[in-house]
Amino acid sequence: MDYRRTKYCPELVDIKEKKKKIEALIKKEHPHAQDMHTYISDNSEKYKLKFVQAYNGKCAYCGVSIDLIKKNEFEIDHFLYEKFPKFKTKKEAGYIENLILACHDCNHNKSDFWINEDCYNALYPDEKEMQKTFFRDEQYYICISDEYKDDKSINEFYDKVRLGTELHRLDYLLMNIIGLQRKCQENKDLYAGLGKIMDVIREKRNII
Ligand SMILES: [Zn+2]
């Protein structure tokens, strides 16, 4: 089970193909385009929305959904840090595979973290393997799986992106309530009650 989604969220499928399609569209409309980041991160362009939709409207690191934050609060992360010497220019890091949908918090926290080659697949959000690196425990905390719990790089990433924080528990709880509420729209009392609970938790989220 992908720790980023609740049972109400759709599975992340064909993400690589979906991103390739967005790239093809950009190249068709802008034949000289090289740095995909420039186009996809532009909030006034349709590419950003398509990119958000490709990720089911969810941060690829913590799973926070567009039900909780606005489209403009999503950012486009360079999975491999764009200022690392491997890239001569920032443009060079803007290839489609290196671009990941992230909420502002995850993108900001991850910042200059450099992904080691030996844990590339374990941390790359478009790979199924990443869904086994972390898991959601019964109290909704995001945790490191047994397989990686002694892995230094994975632990550094986990700490840097702050995946273990209370905020992500609250978001997961909210996403569950939103999902449940959508399933019981005919039951007016339950629907309204869940709405009230959500308002209280949302208020708490905003002060964290
Ligand atoms: Zn996030």
Side-chain angles (χ1 to χ4, degrees):
M1 177 76 178
D2 184 348
Y3 72 94
R4 297 167 294 184
R5 67 180 188 95
T6 69
K7 61 181 172 184
Y8 304 106
C9 308
E11 242 177 282
L12 193 64
V13 287
D14 301 332
I15 184 66
K16 289 179 185 177
E17 290 78 4
K18 286 175 184 170
K19 284 164 72 170
K20 278 280 174 204
K21 271 190 191 160
I22 297 170
E23 181 188 42
L25 180 67
I26 294 171
K27 285 190 168 165
K28 190 173 158 217
E29 296 180 352
H30 304 273
H32 301 294
Q34 286 179 324
D35 180 11
M36 295 297 120
H37 191 272
T38 310
Y39 297 89
I40 295 170
S41 61
D42 186 341
N43 279 315
S44 62
E45 283 279 4
K46 62 187 169 201
Y47 312 120
K48 169 86 179 267
L49 181 61
K50 286 183 184 294
F51 202 75
V52 170
Q53 286 167 340
Y55 278 94
N56 294 333
K58 290 167 73 65
C59 170
Y61 296 109
C62 73
V64 67
S65 89
I66 198 154
D67 291 327
L68 302 185
I69 63 171
K70 297 185 190 79
K71 187 193 96 180
N72 290 4
E73 292 174 77
F74 280 105
E75 298 178 357
I76 312 300
D77 167 54
H78 289 91
F79 182 63
L80 296 181
Y81 182 49
E82 69 272 20
K83 289 184 192 149
F84 200 70
K86 173 188 164 99
F87 302 116
K88 288 184 202 81
T89 61
K90 193 181 168 190
K91 266 187 193 171
E92 233 177 68
Y95 56 97
I96 196 78
E97 292 83 0
N98 200 34
L99 304 182
I100 303 290
L101 188 71
C103 68
H104 168 79
D105 288 351
C106 287
N107 193 31
H108 181 82
N109 293 334
K110 179 172 167 280
S111 149
D112 59 354
F113 187 86
W114 181 253
I115 311 279
N116 282 329
E117 238 167 72
D118 59 350
C119 59
Y120 186 98
N121 279 349
L123 294 176
Y124 186 56
D126 299 355
E127 287 288 349
K128 278 255 183 278
E129 199 177 325
M130 193 254 199
Q131 300 171 16
K132 288 186 254 156
T133 308
F134 306 107
F135 69 98
R136 191 73 70 156
D137 77 1
E138 286 175 351
Q139 295 179 43
Y140 291 176
Y141 279 109
I142 300 173
C143 307
I144 301 175
S145 67
D146 282 351
E147 189 184 340
Y148 291 104
K149 70 176 193 305
D150 299 320
D151 185 302
K152 192 168 165 275
S153 300
I154 302 287
N155 274 279
E156 280 171 3
F157 177 87
Y158 178 85
D159 292 341
K160 183 94 163 100
V161 183
R162 307 190 71 217
L163 287 178
T165 61
E166 299 289 334
L167 179 68
H168 301 316
R169 296 177 73 204
L170 269 191
D171 287 348
Y172 199 71
L173 178 60
L174 273 169
M175 290 191 293
N176 268 296
I177 299 172
I178 290 169
L180 179 61
Q181 198 194 34
R182 285 187 182 136
K183 290 268 177 216
C184 64
Q185 296 191 20
E186 290 88 57
N187 187 337
K188 297 258 179 301
D189 288 345
L190 182 55
Y191 188 86
L194 289 170
K196 277 184 198 157
I197 294 168
M198 260 190 312
D199 289 345
V200 174
I201 305 172
R202 270 183 194 273
E203 212 170 288
K204 191 167 163 54
R205 187 196 194 273
N206 291 339
I207 40 172
I208 279 187

